[in-house]
Amino acid sequence: MDDLHLLGAIAVLGLTCYAMRVGGYVLATSLRDDGFVARFLRLAPGNLFIAFIVAGCLSGGLPGLIGTLVALVTMAFTAREWAALGAGFGAALATAALGTS
C-alpha cells in the first residue's frame, strides 16, 4: 500500500469517526431527559466499568478474586480508597505467594 492510499484510508476513518460523534451528539440532544433511553445512558458508564473490572478480576485467578473481595470489604468498612487498595493488593500478593510455594 503506497502513501497516498494510506493517507486516504486515514482521512476516511477520521471523517467517519467525526460523523459518528456529531450524529451521536445530535441524537442525544433530541432525547427527552425523563425517557427510558436517557436513564439507560446515565447507567451505562457504571455498567461498563463493572464489566471491565469483573473481567480483570476473574482473569487474575484466585489471587485477583480474593484481592478484589478484600478491597471491597475494606472499602465498605473504612471508606478510604488507599486503605482498600493496599489491603486488596496485599491480599492478592499473599494469596499468590501461598499458592506458588
Side-chain angles (χ1 to χ4, degrees), residues 32-56:
R32 292 182 16 217
D33 288 340
D34 59 347
F36 171 75
V37 176
R39 285 183 301 188
F40 176 75
L41 290 176
R42 279 193 293 273
L43 293 175
N47 293 338
L48 292 173
F49 180 74
I50 294 298
F52 285 121
I53 293 299
V54 168

Side-chain angles (χ1 to χ4, degrees), residues 20-89:
M20 290 180 70
R21 291 181 69 99
V22 168
Y25 177 76
V26 169
L27 180 65
T29 57
S30 68
L31 293 174
R32 292 182 16 217
D33 288 340
D34 59 347
F36 171 75
V37 176
R39 285 183 301 188
F40 176 75
L41 290 176
R42 279 193 293 273
L43 293 175
N47 293 338
L48 292 173
F49 180 74
I50 294 298
F52 285 121
I53 293 299
V54 168
C57 293
L58 293 179
S59 70
L62 185 62
L65 185 61
I66 289 179
T68 302
L69 292 175
V70 168
L72 285 172
V73 169
T74 305
M75 186 66 187
F77 282 110
T78 65
R80 304 239 184 258
E81 294 87 4
W82 290 106
L85 283 171
F89 283 130

